[in-house]
Amino acid sequence: PDLRTLALITRIGLPVSLGGILFTGIYIALGRLLGSLGGANLAALGLGHRVEAFAYTVCEGFGAAAATIVGQWLGAGCERQARESAAHAARVAGWVMLPLAMLFVALARPIVSLITNDPATIGPAVSYLYIVSITFPLMGVEHVMDGALTGAGDTTPSLLWGLLLNLARLPAALWLCRRFGVEGVWTAITVSTALKAVVKWRAFRRSRLPLLSERAVA
């Protein structure tokens, strides 16, 4: 095997893998916090995630498209087009996710009621969708920037910023839940999502685009 190629694959893929593992660990800790507020709230988080998965999947599609387009432009040695395509994809993702966010807010209670008839779970699950859905456009932007950074071969910023802001959910949720109850936990998740979109956008703008450098060396 070509050791240089293996090293490149590892450098790009390892941060992505670590990010997924650490994200899972953070949600386990967040689940313990919600469990202390009542089992229904923990169930509401799981239900909210199942409903939110539809929006998440759409965002992942935009991220995969951004990774492909950015990678193709950089492979052709076109830095400007790579950066412009990522910015365009982020705008499109944001606009596409906006009506989806409005739909989830408008239909939160009917959607949740289709899945459970437990009143103790319906209330916090509906509030989860009300609060989290407003950042769907920014979640789309975040996924596009993750994809763009992956396409550029610069996945470390996604890992570091994702880890930092996902970890920040824990103390923020702990502090906010003392004042606003379970809605404080949902707010911590929402604010961190918005911040991740902003910092990852900036990270891509500042990226040196390692794959472009690799092409120049080759």
Side-chain angles (χ1 to χ4, degrees):
D2 187 334
L3 295 180
R4 182 179 172 186
T5 300
L6 288 176
L8 180 61
I9 292 171
T10 302
R11 192 185 74 203
I12 295 173
L14 185 60
V16 176
S17 302
L18 288 176
I21 294 170
L22 293 170
F23 184 80
T24 300
I26 290 167
Y27 261 88
I28 291 173
L30 197 61
R32 289 182 63 87
L33 172 60
L34 284 168
S36 70
L37 297 175
N41 293 320
L42 183 57
L45 177 65
L47 191 154
H49 275 173
R50 289 198 294 274
V51 176
E52 187 188 6
F54 179 79
Y56 190 87
T57 301
V58 175
C59 292
E60 282 194 319
F62 278 107
T68 302
I69 295 170
V70 168
Q72 286 179 338
W73 278 121
L74 292 179
C78 303
E79 178 181 349
R80 179 178 61 83
Q81 289 88 339
R83 293 189 185 278
E84 288 178 353
S85 65
H88 180 68
R91 288 192 294 270
V92 171
W95 282 111
V96 168
M97 295 305 295
L98 182 59
L100 193 59
M102 296 170 64
L103 182 67
F104 271 57
V105 170
L107 300 179
R109 187 168 294 276
I111 291 172
V112 170
S113 297
L114 285 174
I115 302 173
T116 182
N117 57 7
D118 179 11
T121 303
I122 289 175
V126 169
S127 72
Y128 176 87
L129 291 180
Y130 281 158
I131 294 171
V132 171
S133 294
I134 63 175
T135 55
F136 279 0
L138 288 173
M139 184 168 69
V141 172
E142 180 199 352
H143 278 261
V144 167
M145 291 301 112
D146 276 335
L149 287 164
T150 300
D154 192 12
T155 51
T156 301
S158 287
L159 169 65
L160 296 179
W161 283 115
L163 175 60
L164 178 64
L165 290 171
N166 285 328
L167 276 173
R169 290 179 175 182
L170 298 176
L174 185 61
W175 183 74
L176 289 170
C177 76
R178 293 173 179 170
R179 290 156 177 78
F180 306 107
V182 71
E183 285 79 11
V185 180
W186 310 154
T187 301
I189 293 172
T190 300
V191 170
S192 67
T193 298
L195 290 174
K196 283 191 293 180
V198 173
V199 297
K200 289 180 182 181
W201 180 299
R202 182 173 174 80
F204 180 72
R205 290 187 62 184
R206 295 168 61 90
S207 173
R208 296 182 178 181
L209 309 177
L211 284 189
L212 190 63
S213 302
E214 288 286 340
R215 179 183 181 277
V217 171

